[in-house]
Amino acid sequence: MENIQLILYTVFGVLAIFSAIMMITRRNPIASALWLIFNFFMISGLYFLLRAQFIAIIQILVYAGAIMVLFIFVIMLLKLTDEKKLSEIMTYQKITAILFSILLMALLVFTVYVNFADKYTEISTEAETISKAENLGRELFLKYAFPIEAIGLLLLATIVGAVVLAKKKFE
Amino acid sequence: MIFIFSNMVSLDYFLTLSIILFSIGVIGVLIRRNAIIIFMSIELMLNSVNLSLISFSSFMGDSQGQILVFFVMAVAAAEAAVGLAIIIALFRNKETINIDEINILKW
């Protein structure tokens, strides 16, 4: 049983990393967006592996469904004729940036390895009950009622802001 | 790495994957010049943080991590909408989304 989990983790993890690398290296923004959608599906598979089924579905619905459709619409709205001329050459600045990012990754992996190796080796037995929609809904609307209202206000402000920003003329 | 040879999927596996995805997002933000791809890299970084939150939540049996993921998703959706509106407004005014040419706020 644990073996199947390890195999699934490896498949989802390797595909997620691969699609992320493909996403940041494609020239065409549409190809990038499609690789990012693939990456979101793989991360959703990892959520299923972690027994967070409701979040996994929400991930597909909100990220792969709503947000990425918005991205693809905007990419298609912009007339990116000069996209080929966009200078994406390797400079010393970029190579230094990559090196420091890899240094950051090594530092974080080291920290995790020092603090969490051989701790928490199994998924908690309560994981299945806490990630049910029933439990999450109860927590969200009873314990976190005020943050939910604040998020509603934030989304309203976002709608108004997006319409104002994308309007033809400011005046 | 020692933990590759053990047979159990433990918390550090998921945290390591999350860190790798986060670093790829950082690299994407730093090396690309296309504003939309920089934006997508930011979404990738938000997603990797969500992955670490969910893995902590599942391994420790605490639902607060999953609640926080909801709020992160709502804020990410809001950020994507406003950011893309800004990109459209920029493109209308300057006819480019190359961030090297968008420098009127630079001193």
Side-chain angles (χ1 to χ4, degrees), chain A residues 47-152:
Chain A
Y47 290 170
F48 275 118
L49 211 59
L50 287 163
R51 310 227 171 90
Q53 66 277 64
F54 188 61
I55 298 279
I57 297 295
I58 290 293
Q59 163 91 4
I60 294 176
L61 278 179
V62 173
Y63 268 111
I67 296 181
M68 290 319 289
V69 166
L70 198 64
F71 268 92
I72 290 177
F73 258 100
V74 169
I75 294 168
M76 288 176 170
L77 274 178
L78 305 180
K79 209 165 64 220
L80 296 177
T81 45
D82 61 338
E83 173 203 315
K84 289 280 190 299
K85 285 184 285 176
L86 216 59
S87 65
E88 301 279 7
I89 42 163
M90 277 291 160
T91 57
Y92 282 115
Q93 195 187 355
K94 288 181 184 176
I95 291 167
T96 319
I98 292 173
L99 285 179
F100 272 94
S101 307
I102 289 170
L103 187 68
L104 169 78
M105 181 174 82
L107 207 61
L108 287 173
V109 169
F110 178 71
T111 314
V112 163
Y113 186 64
V114 166
N115 287 309
F116 289 105
D118 302 325
K119 274 185 211 165
Y120 303 108
T121 49
E122 271 184 74
I123 292 174
S124 161
T125 46
E126 299 151 55
E128 253 163 275
T129 49
I130 62 161
S131 56
K132 273 184 186 155
E134 181 196 355
N135 178 51
L136 287 179
R138 188 176 287 131
E139 293 238 336
L140 273 175
F141 287 107
L142 294 178
K143 208 167 154 195
Y144 297 92
F146 180 69
I148 280 283
E149 300 288 336
I151 283 291

Side-chain angles (χ1 to χ4, degrees), chain A residues 1-13 42-53 56 123 127-128, chain B residues 9 13-14 17 51 54-55 58-59:
Chain A
M1 195 58 208
E2 280 106 32
N3 235 339
I4 287 176
Q5 281 198 344
L6 190 68
I7 291 166
L8 281 175
Y9 166 81
T10 314
V11 169
F12 283 135
M42 292 304 112
I43 288 180
S44 161
L46 287 168
Y47 290 170
F48 275 118
L49 211 59
L50 287 163
R51 310 227 171 90
Q53 66 277 64
I123 292 174
E128 253 163 275
Chain B
V9 186
Y13 284 50
F14 287 98
L17 182 63
L51 177 62
I54 298 265
S55 47
S58 298
F59 277 91

